[in-house]
Amino acid sequence: EVKKAIKSIPVVASGDLFSPEDIKKCLDQTGVDGVLIARGFIGNPWIISRTLEYLRTGSLSPEPSFEDRIEMLFKHTFKTIVFKGEHRGMREMRRFNNQYIKGFPGAAELRQKINQADTFEDLKNIFKNLSFPVANLQKILQPELIPAH
């Protein structure tokens, strides 16, 4: 209704957009010019590329694998530590890291361990000590990725 009443100003929708299907449904039902993805982006940066593909082709690409999620968890954590320092960065990343592992087997136990990690080294050791099928873990955990703080 707002979009119909205001024709000269772009209208965007926001809220409860957690998947490409949610976004398409919102666009189709409301006719808005765009959407803002907030909480749906946390731990799920793939939502944008998956949504664009879905809107363009009607085909939904698969969810990112556990390996993809763990690789992004480490990259995101590393960049946050570089920007904010290890102490602050590790604490701020807890809420994001929990979202990266959400829905995978053993996530509750893994979440507890991640939330207790105080250093990047602690985080690396958690994944080294678990038997998750992460083929690229050694590449992700290369020494040059460890911040010098």
Side-chain angles (χ1 to χ4, degrees), residues 7 18 61-62 64 67 87-88 110 140 146:
K7 296 181 192 297
F18 296 100
S61 60
E67 182 178 278
H87 179 77
R88 184 174 174 192
L110 185 54
I140 297 166
I146 301 170

Side-chain angles (χ1 to χ4, degrees), residues 15-27 35-42 44-55 59-64 69:
D16 294 329
L17 301 173
F18 296 100
S19 70
E21 298 96 331
D22 292 341
I23 294 167
K24 182 171 182 348
K25 182 179 176 184
C26 176
L27 290 168
V35 296
L36 297 173
I37 305 167
R39 289 178 296 135
F41 188 80
I42 297 173
N44 186 21
W46 304 272
I47 191 170
I48 294 173
S49 60
R50 292 182 71 235
T51 298
L52 291 173
E53 179 71 17
Y54 185 54
L55 293 174
S59 178
L60 192 59
S61 60
E63 290 277 341
R69 290 179 175 275

Side-chain angles (χ1 to χ4, degrees), residues 79-96:
K79 289 179 180 185
T80 301
I81 289 171
V82 168
F83 185 67
K84 296 188 175 191
E86 187 170 57
H87 179 77
R88 184 174 174 192
M90 286 298 294
R91 274 153 189 72
E92 287 188 13
M93 282 305 299
R94 287 178 180 165
R95 68 184 176 130
F96 299 107

Side-chain angles (χ1 to χ4, degrees), residues 43-46 65-81 89-90 93-102 104 110-111 114-115 117 120 122-124 126-127 137 140-141:
N44 186 21
W46 304 272
S65 67
F66 183 71
E67 182 178 278
D68 293 335
R69 290 179 175 275
I70 298 307
E71 184 172 347
M72 186 61 72
L73 177 153
F74 275 96
K75 287 177 179 179
H76 190 176
T77 301
F78 174 76
K79 289 179 180 185
T80 301
I81 289 171
M90 286 298 294
M93 282 305 299
R94 287 178 180 165
R95 68 184 176 130
F96 299 107
N97 288 343
N98 290 335
Q99 293 301 313
Y100 285 121
I101 62 168
K102 186 177 181 178
F104 284 96
L110 185 54
R111 185 171 36 256
I114 288 173
N115 285 337
F120 194 72
D122 291 344
L123 186 64
K124 287 183 1 179
I126 289 167
F127 285 90
L137 188 57
I140 297 166
L141 302 179

